[in-house]
Amino acid sequence: MTHTSNHLNGCHDCNMKFNGFDTLSELQLNTFKDSHCKVEYRKGETIIKQGARCSNLVCIKSGYVKMHVEGLGGKSVIVKVLKPGDFIISPGIFDDNKNHFSASAITDVNTCLISIEAFRKVFHDNDNFAESVLKHNHQLMQTLYHQLINLSHKKMTGRVADTLLYLSKEVYESNTFYTTLSRQDMADLSSVSKESLIRILKDFKDSGIVVVEGNQFKIQALNTLQNISKVG
Amino acid sequence: MTHTSNHLNGCHDCNMKFNGFDTLSELQLNTFKDSHCKVEYRKGETIIKQGARCSNLVCIKSGYVKMHVEGLGGKSVIVKVLKPGDFIISPGIFDDNKNHFSASAITDVNTCLISIEAFRKVFHDNDNFAESVLKHNHQLMQTLYHQLINLSHKKMTGRVADTLLYLSKEVYESNTFYTTLSRQDMADLSSVSKESLIRILKDFKDSGIVVVEGNQFKIQALNTLQNISKVG
DNA sequence: CGCGAGCTTGACGTTGTTCAACTAGAGTGG
DNA sequence: CCACTCTAGTTGAACAACGTCAAGCTCGCG
């Protein structure tokens, strides 16, 4: 053994935090621990690059990460914002071994990287973990369906309202939040141009729906916002 | 046993055809066979209804099925067109047990329905099957990413070109094909209005890129079409 | 103090949806 | 066999939505 139990206590803690890791035996946790790397990314750094070979399962211990798909002409769509406790399984793991999206740090981020081999092994050994993984996948897929509807049927105001609600409910879990996402990021999350996002944010601000102070947001009229999101 | 081996020969054949079913043992195939129902749907019928509880894994033996997400005001997006050999695992199976999309027959369709319990059992018993399922999932997810890019970054002509290429390459596997998708369906697949789809189709026809005769299509200038798709 | 990156605003043109009218084919019932 | 209706497809014109461009602004930082 190259690792002692003591040396890895920190990592043991970090493994335990993730959703779906609860079905793992000591032995399986050790498989992860043996393969893991603790890596810290600075704000702005790319963690996963679309098109590159995928080599790791990325677990986020602290910080926030945007998961985005790069399209034509340098444009991209942000699919999801990840927070501590989330992990990223690249959808190429059992397929073409390539990443089909990118992930970038939007704050400084502490991660625990687990090798694909270790992941594969545990996936095969523990059917309950396999179920967790599939479930995790399905939830991501539901996010994607939701995004599809958003993009194709809602107009800008609805999508921006959705973004604010998403950040408030799912990501920062508070009616008031400070985000490190830039306006461009928020635009990518809503699939509108940066300028349009700004204009709509101003509208919301002028009509007293939200308070905006730079990157500090406060949702004042939750109902109105939810209604805008619903109607489109 | 309520089923004899003889009685189920037809079904044994049908199970064997599906991608990812190759890792199943005789015993596991029997688990599926015991739970299965042969059901025939007529063109236009709903096979899976979004929001309803999911009760089956649907395997398509013959015919074509559109998989679509229903949005606001009766609008919907078609995510994928399924053909013989494909199967549908509802993303709610290990989660909220609900369907997050609908599936409808666009021709008469023969299906083999396998109960979720049987699926769950085999998923847990056979780790290679579990891997197949995850892989299947990942491929679907890649389709969704692709769609996201399409919707947010490409304009109409690019999306319609994409639809034609998709139908030609992935679905009907030929440069000339007859589709049972209506114009509205094709519009939903491209996320444009029916009127816009028709206009663009006319443009393509007038510039000699495709030959359109009702629902019969022939792609003449593949390169041009691919280019339109690429540029957006 | 001046520079640069990100943010904001306005004006403008394109894109694509909506509405309405018209057409063609496929039943349906007298 | 012929109106009659119903649905799907098609076309045109008007309008709204949205992105792009260009300019000015703000704030942190050297």
Side-chain angles (χ1 to χ4, degrees), chain B residues 63-207:
Chain B
Y64 292 87
V65 172
K66 64 176 175 180
M67 187 176 137
H68 52 116
V69 187
E70 300 176 30
L72 308 162
K75 293 179 179 179
S76 73
V77 192
I78 295 183
V79 174
K80 209 178 168 181
V81 177
L82 301 157
K83 58 187 175 178
D86 286 335
F87 55 96
I88 309 173
I89 302 174
S90 211
I93 276 191
F94 286 128
D95 192 19
D96 60 359
N97 240 49
K98 298 272 177 64
N99 295 312
H100 292 264
F101 53 75
S102 293
S104 316
I106 58 169
T107 60
D108 290 353
V109 174
N110 278 297
T111 61
C112 171
L113 307 184
I114 294 168
S115 80
I116 289 196
E117 289 72 31
F119 169 77
R120 279 215 185 94
K121 178 159 175 25
V122 175
F123 179 90
H124 278 274
D125 288 353
N126 182 336
D127 56 316
N128 289 313
F129 180 65
E131 177 174 328
S132 294
V133 169
L134 193 62
K135 187 174 169 179
H136 174 265
N137 237 266
H138 283 160
Q139 284 164 351
L140 182 52
M141 200 122 58
Q142 284 166 28
T143 307
L144 292 177
Y145 287 129
H146 187 247
Q147 285 265 25
L148 270 187
I149 293 296
N150 267 8
L151 292 192
S152 48
H153 297 327
K154 283 188 192 170
K155 38 193 161 200
M156 291 200 305
T157 45
R159 293 191 306 240
V160 173
D162 247 43
T163 293
L164 289 175
L165 290 170
Y166 170 69
L167 292 177
S168 158
K169 284 189 196 163
E170 313 277 331
V171 182
Y172 300 111
E173 298 173 23
S174 164
N175 272 349
T176 70
F177 57 88
Y178 176 88
T179 183
T180 56
L181 289 167
S182 67
R183 302 295 172 185
Q184 182 65 60
D185 285 336
M186 293 185 70
D188 289 347
L189 194 49
S190 322
S191 278
V192 298
S193 69
K194 184 183 48 175
E195 290 90 338
S196 295
L197 176 103
I198 287 168
R199 274 183 258 272
I200 291 166
L201 238 39
K202 188 172 153 61
D203 278 359
F204 286 172
K205 191 177 174 182
D206 289 350
S207 31

Side-chain angles (χ1 to χ4, degrees), chain B residues 11 14-15 18 21 24 28-29 31-33 35-38 55-59 87-88 93 111-120 122 129:
Chain B
C11 179
C14 93
N15 276 338
F18 302 102
F21 280 41
L24 298 174
Q28 287 157 354
L29 279 176
T31 306
F32 280 174
K33 281 190 274 185
S35 87
H36 101 136
C37 314
K38 287 183 186 178
S55 41
N56 290 300
L57 178 70
V58 179
C59 303
F87 55 96
I88 309 173
I93 276 191
T111 61
C112 171
L113 307 184
I114 294 168
S115 80
I116 289 196
E117 289 72 31
F119 169 77
R120 279 215 185 94
V122 175
F129 180 65

